[in-house]
Amino acid sequence: FMIVIAQVTNTSAVALFVAGFVPAATIMVCLMVLVYFRARKYDWPVDTRPSVALITATARKAAVPLVIPIVILGGFFLGVFTATESAAVACVYAFLVTMFVYRDYRWRDLPKLIHRTVKTVAMVMMLIGFAAAFGYLMALMQLPAKATALLTAMTSDKIVMLFMINVLLLVLGTFMDMAPLILICTPILLPVVKSLGVDPVHFGMILLVNLGIGLITPPVGPTLFVGCAIGKVTMEEVSRELWPFYGAMIVALGLITYVPALSLWLPSMLLK
């Protein structure tokens, strides 16, 4: 999605990748604080403090799968393979680690694993397909363009405009998939935010966080469907428990939106 945004906004994909680290850490901290207070409120059980030996053993065991993000990002940044090829390489690596290093499954389990994977992928692809069709319908009706025209007619204040753009993207993200929304909304909203002095890289982070929240928001929420399928729970059960987490992510979104340094500091330091 960052590569798609880079192409649409004519910015550096590397700058977007680097810019994403601090916003991701911001979301992580907000969620950690929420989980801490919920754990205290509901008196969740507390595990014993791990020993140094246990931490070392766990880190050694985790070292092999932790190579996967290094393979994906390292291969992409070094130009060894494209983003799509890096995903394929990572899948092959994960399969080899599962079968030959951890040996969690046997070869006779392979048909069952493939069947389970195909079921999950088919469900997600159907959702993406319907979301893409819905996005095409909205594009024909020019709904994003009309919504943006309404925003610019209502205010020229930067803070208010960014707030309304966030609301617009959050609402659209509940009905449409991420890819069509990026392709439809970015060319329309980018001139508006640039006229307000918002950096395209910063806008890319705002767009990604908004639409990322949409991925776990009903009624579309493809990531929510995947999580429910893996956890074998209904969407209604999960949705009831998600409201506090939505709140934590909205707080993180507000920080990322109104504190541009969270998105722009690291690229300015590393990509001079």
Side-chain angles (χ1 to χ4, degrees):
F1 292 124
M2 287 185 176
I3 294 170
V4 174
I5 291 177
Q7 292 175 338
V8 177
T9 60
N10 197 26
T11 55
S12 168
V14 176
L16 285 169
F17 273 110
V18 175
F21 282 100
V22 178
T26 304
I27 297 171
M28 178 184 70
V29 170
C30 290
L31 292 174
M32 288 172 66
V33 171
L34 170 66
V35 171
Y36 171 78
F37 283 106
R38 283 175 65 84
R40 295 289 297 270
K41 178 180 179 180
Y42 295 107
D43 196 24
W44 290 346
V46 179
D47 202 354
T48 56
R49 187 178 295 275
S51 63
V52 176
L54 179 60
I55 293 174
T56 304
T58 304
R60 190 182 300 115
K61 186 177 180 181
V64 177
L66 285 177
V67 174
I68 292 179
I70 298 174
V71 170
I72 295 174
L73 295 176
F76 174 71
F77 286 136
L78 294 175
V80 179
F81 34 66
T82 66
T84 304
E85 291 168 348
S86 68
V89 170
C91 285
V92 173
Y93 178 83
F95 174 76
L96 294 176
V97 168
T98 301
M99 299 302 292
F100 296 106
V101 178
Y102 293 122
R103 298 180 181 178
D104 293 331
Y105 293 97
R106 300 183 183 277
W107 286 103
R108 64 170 177 265
D109 298 324
L110 191 58
K112 180 175 68 176
L113 296 176
I114 294 175
H115 176 259
R116 219 157 57 189
T117 302
V118 169
K119 277 180 62 179
T120 303
V121 171
M123 179 178 65
V124 174
M125 293 304 294
M126 286 180 66
L127 287 170
I128 292 175
F130 282 111
F134 188 67
Y136 179 71
L137 179 62
M138 290 189 70
L140 289 178
M141 297 174 65
Q142 299 182 340
L143 289 182
K146 292 176 181 177
T148 306
L150 176 63
L151 292 177
T152 54
M154 290 173 64
T155 181
S156 59
D157 183 83
K158 179 179 178 180
I159 294 176
V160 177
M161 179 63 75
L162 288 175
F163 175 78
M164 291 194 298
I165 287 175
N166 279 337
V167 172
L168 173 66
L169 291 174
L170 286 172
V171 172
L172 291 175
T174 63
F175 294 99
M176 295 174 60
D177 190 52
M178 206 168 184
L181 268 178
I182 290 173
L183 294 172
I184 293 169
C185 292
T186 303
I188 300 170
L189 295 176
L190 184 61
V192 177
V193 296
K194 286 178 73 174
S195 67
L196 298 173
V198 177
D199 189 278
V201 173
H202 180 209
F203 174 67
M205 293 302 105
I206 295 172
L207 189 65
L208 282 171
V209 176
N210 271 292
L211 303 186
I213 295 174
L215 291 177
I216 58 169
T217 307
V220 178
T223 305
L224 184 60
F225 276 92
V226 174
C228 293
I230 294 174
K232 294 182 174 59
V233 291
T234 66
M235 199 165 128
E236 291 76 13
E237 292 173 325
V238 175
S239 298
R240 282 196 298 268
E241 299 295 329
L242 272 179
W243 289 108
F245 293 90
Y246 289 135
M249 286 185 285
I250 293 298
V251 171
L253 173 62
L255 292 172
I256 294 164
T257 300
Y258 294 111
V259 186
L262 293 177
S263 302
L264 302 178
W265 171 74
L266 200 56
S268 67
M269 293 292 293
L270 300 180
L271 304 175
K272 291 181 179 180

